[in-house]
Amino acid sequence: MTDPLLTVEDLNVTFPGRETAVRAVRNASFTLGRERLGIVGESGSGKSTTGRALLGLVPRPGIVTAKTMSYAGQNLLQCTERDWQRLRGRRMSMVMQDPKYSLNPVKTVGAQIGETCLLHLGMTRKQAAARTLAMLEAVRIRDPELTYQLYPHQLSGGMGQRVMIAMMLVAEPDFLIADEPTSALDVTVQNEVLRILDDLVSERGMGLIFISHNLTVVSSFCDRVLIMYGGKIVEECAARDLQNARHPYTRALVAAAPSLDIQRTELATVTRDPEWLK
Amino acid sequence: MIAVDDLNVTFHNGGRSIHAVQGISFNVAAGETFGIVGESGSGKSTVLKAIAGLVPSTSSVLEVDGRPAARRRSRAERRLLQLVFQDPYASLHPRQTVDGILREPLVIHGVADIDDKVMAAIADVGLLPMHRFRYPHQLSGGQRQRVAIARALILRPPVLLLDEPTSALDVSIQAEILNLLANLRQSYSLTCILVSHDLAVVAHLCNRIAIMQLGKLVEIISAADLRSGTVTADYTRELIAASRGFTRAPSQNQVVLS
């Protein structure tokens, strides 16, 4: 980790409301190298909004401000819509949570993945088809030729998630945001999908932001973890040290999860302190 | 309390038939909490629905409290068990207030002192009197699941069937609901069946656990066996390994955080 791929300083995302504005992300600062960075937090903690802000995908009327937000030397704050189009899909992409809602239901798998090749890589249709098949094979889909012709509703959850990963990786971006990529999957399938992501990080030297609410997965999969609460990064630690985290919120989250190793008669509940947001 | 022997459920869809539950047998003693785990499509929820009489099934024995649990049930038989569903956003009537939701079973069964019972049920699940006339959309996910539990328990059934009661909730809220269930189980002396895909949740609440795969019962083990890993089936072992978190190499058995 010499040069950070991504530098974020003082990121704020605000959604103006009638009376008060909702501050979805508050003064978030972090860097990402060629590593697996986890972001954990509960629903509404701003973890997905952080991911979207990095790709310029915060929906209106959301306002994104930051002191610095740069990716491989490029200032993301001054990107025009045209610049974003050149970056997104080509240099950076995002895997969404649920393949059921994130794939185009009226296009075949092959056409959807191929589109990226045609659009970003300037390939011919034939090259695009070949590359799509190779990519489907890379995410360990058993029968790429068959899957190529299927529509999203004909795929199982695990297959759909692999198709999404294939689509996001076909242009070989060097920065990927995975937003709860395995939450909709069974545990055994979840590990297969994680293994694919893991190989891509170590083989291609990709930077990965892994957003999840599952502490077990994050602590075993990521290198570093950011813990978000109410839009604020309350703690940053090495993933394997998550059990020994210092912040009371992180500690409470760890204690609230039932565990296969320790029998607890009662689970700890989280007592929230308004001080945490100051 | 619950006896199931050779339970089969087949769904017919056009010309295809799907044998969703294939010859499952188990017994649940009074006061016990029995867990069923498995992946999507293993038939675990269908077993619950068959016991509740929500899907047609065939079996040599299907009994709740010593009485055969047929598809058509008398009012008294229906009072024996209640269900709590997975998604509290989908399982509560959006146009009814908490009061209306809790009142309905009491009215159907002609119970007296409805007002007092509704207030008591609200207090029992840790909600406040001010929540009584709210609509589900005015409540958080955890509060809604509390309402669903209150509705299930308001007729004081001896058996409670729980279908993934916490999988739509955040960890901290899940902890609150699991604690609530553990307390209510004691104070209402309930017999429970808990269906979940989360081994840690099942190990936390249950005494014995059935592992299901593709409609079949793989094995029945105790919670202690699940924790210590003393299991016979490879599938169970695989499931336990997968729930303990990500491992770099498939075969490598490294120690990971819980």
Side-chain angles (χ1 to χ4, degrees):
Chain A
M1 265 193 291
T2 42
D3 225 14
L5 202 58
L6 183 84
T7 311
V8 179
E9 217 182 322
D10 235 355
L11 174 70
N12 279 283
V13 182
T14 312
F15 291 93
R18 243 176 304 176
E19 270 138 44
T20 49
V22 177
R23 295 181 66 196
V25 180
R26 305 169 186 227
N27 309 88
S29 303
F30 59 94
T31 57
L32 174 79
R34 302 193 179 276
E35 58 175 331
R36 293 161 287 246
L37 176 69
I39 302 183
V40 287
E42 298 181 279
S43 356
S45 61
K47 51 194 194 310
S48 294
T49 309
T50 305
R52 284 169 181 271
L54 297 175
L55 288 183
L57 288 175
V58 170
R60 267 170 220 269
I63 300 159
V64 181
T65 58
K67 221 179 257 165
T68 329
M69 191 160 92
S70 69
Y71 163 73
Q74 187 170 359
N75 185 354
L76 295 177
L77 293 167
Q78 284 170 358
C79 275
T80 59
E81 201 46 46
R82 239 187 120 69
D83 295 333
W84 275 121
Q85 276 173 17
R86 247 173 264 146
L87 276 175
R88 275 193 306 244
R90 178 72 191 88
R91 307 278 310 278
M92 43 165 67
S93 23
M94 184 160 177
V95 176
M96 308 276 181
Q97 177 168 5
D98 197 334
K100 273 200 201 82
Y101 298 110
S102 313
L103 292 172
N104 186 341
V106 295
K107 281 177 99 172
T108 61
V109 165
Q112 295 188 46
I113 302 177
E115 191 179 20
T116 310
C117 305
L118 299 173
L119 217 62
H120 287 293
L121 306 178
M123 286 183 170
T124 63
R125 282 181 187 281
K126 214 170 164 185
Q127 286 170 322
R131 173 126 183 90
T132 303
L133 285 175
M135 205 60 225
L136 287 174
E137 208 175 329
V139 294
R140 287 172 221 156
I141 281 182
R142 251 172 247 134
D143 191 345
E145 272 94 17
L146 175 74
T147 310
Y148 188 92
Q149 301 163 24
L150 296 179
Y151 286 92
H153 74 270
Q154 295 168 306
L155 304 171
S156 68
M159 290 244 284
Q161 201 55 269
R162 279 173 230 220
V163 166
M164 284 229 284
I165 293 175
M167 190 185 308
M168 294 310 141
L169 295 175
V170 72
E172 304 200 331
D174 38 18
F175 166 42
L176 181 75
I177 300 174
D179 187 358
E180 306 259 7
T182 59
S183 309
L185 307 177
D186 281 323
V187 272
T188 49
V189 185
Q190 165 178 304
N191 276 0
E192 281 176 47
V193 171
L194 289 177
R195 225 162 266 140
I196 294 166
L197 287 175
D198 188 53
D199 289 347
L200 292 163
V201 173
S202 39
E203 280 164 24
R204 298 192 187 179
M206 203 172 64
L208 175 71
I209 291 187
F210 186 87
I211 300 173
S212 176
H213 66 273
N214 188 330
L215 294 167
T216 314
V217 172
V218 170
S219 65
S220 57
F221 179 72
C222 296
D223 302 309
R224 273 190 310 142
V225 189
L226 306 175
I227 295 99
M228 287 190 79
Y229 172 75
K232 202 167 163 267
I233 296 175
V234 293
E235 184 165 14
E236 184 193 325
C237 66
R240 67 176 71 85
D241 294 335
L242 202 56
Q243 294 276 283
N244 312 316
R246 271 157 306 151
H247 195 276
Y249 177 66
T250 320
R251 296 179 71 97
L253 273 190
V254 171
S259 145
L260 269 181
D261 299 314
I262 315 149
Q263 169 77 65
R264 297 188 176 102
T265 42
E266 196 161 331
L267 296 168
T269 49
V270 182
T271 334
R272 284 148 220 275
D273 187 345
E275 283 292 309
W276 295 348
L277 292 179
K278 292 207 175 123
Chain B
M1 195 68 174
I2 300 166
V4 178
D5 190 27
D6 196 22
L7 177 73
N8 284 280
V9 179
T10 311
F11 293 113
H12 299 281
N13 183 7
R16 283 197 313 164
S17 59
I18 297 147
H19 203 168
V21 176
Q22 306 173 18
I24 301 273
S25 310
F26 60 87
N27 288 301
V28 184
E32 189 185 6
T33 302
F34 188 74
I36 305 179
V37 288
E39 299 187 288
S40 347
S42 62
K44 55 190 194 303
S45 295
T46 310
V47 171
L48 268 202
K49 286 182 185 152
I51 296 170
L54 296 176
V55 294
S57 62
T58 56
S59 57
S60 31
V61 182
L62 183 60
E63 281 177 0
V64 178
D65 202 15
R67 295 187 229 192
R71 191 85 208 288
R72 286 185 67 86
R73 294 181 190 188
S74 72
R75 197 166 285 174
E77 282 167 346
R78 269 181 267 144
R79 265 184 94 154
L80 284 175
L81 53 85
Q82 288 288 332
L83 264 153
V84 175
F85 294 97
Q86 174 173 10
D87 188 352
Y89 294 85
S91 59
L92 298 178
H93 196 304
R95 302 276 302 263
Q96 277 190 5
T97 59
V98 171
D99 180 73
I101 291 163
L102 297 181
R103 185 175 288 270
E104 193 172 24
L106 297 171
V107 172
I108 290 171
H109 289 272
V111 179
D113 295 332
I114 289 184
D115 272 330
D116 294 347
K117 294 222 162 77
V118 168
M119 288 307 288
I122 287 175
D124 272 1
V125 295
L127 292 172
L128 299 170
M130 68 173 190
H131 294 121
R132 185 171 170 192
F133 295 103
R134 299 240 175 121
Y135 286 94
H137 74 264
Q138 296 169 309
L139 302 173
S140 68
Q143 288 170 336
R144 288 181 214 209
Q145 203 56 301
R146 287 173 193 267
V147 173
I149 293 168
R151 189 210 54 79
L153 293 180
I154 202 158
L155 289 169
R156 300 262 167 178
V159 177
L160 185 64
L161 306 179
L162 301 152
D163 189 1
E164 304 258 15
T166 60
S167 59
L169 307 173
D170 273 322
V171 203
S172 59
I173 313 299
Q174 165 173 286
E176 290 173 17
I177 297 292
L178 292 179
N179 286 342
L180 173 71
L181 286 172
N183 292 334
L184 290 173
R185 178 174 65 176
Q186 196 121 52
S187 55
Y188 283 60
S189 42
L190 290 167
T191 306
C192 300
I193 300 185
L194 171 70
V195 162
S196 178
H197 66 277
D198 189 330
L199 287 178
V201 167
V202 169
H204 177 72
L205 272 189
C206 300
N207 312 98
R208 285 186 309 139
I209 295 135
I211 320 285
M212 284 186 70
Q213 184 189 21
L214 301 170
K216 292 198 179 98
L217 186 69
V218 176
E219 61 180 326
I220 296 180
I221 55 175
S222 72
D225 289 343
L226 181 65
R227 285 181 196 282
S228 61
T230 32
V231 297
T232 49
D234 286 342
Y235 178 70
T236 315
R237 215 165 280 131
E238 202 182 305
L239 213 55
I240 294 174
S243 329
R244 281 178 188 273
F246 173 73
T247 43
R248 292 262 115 78
S251 55
Q252 209 176 310
N253 228 341
Q254 70 188 72
V255 183
V256 268
L257 299 169
S258 60

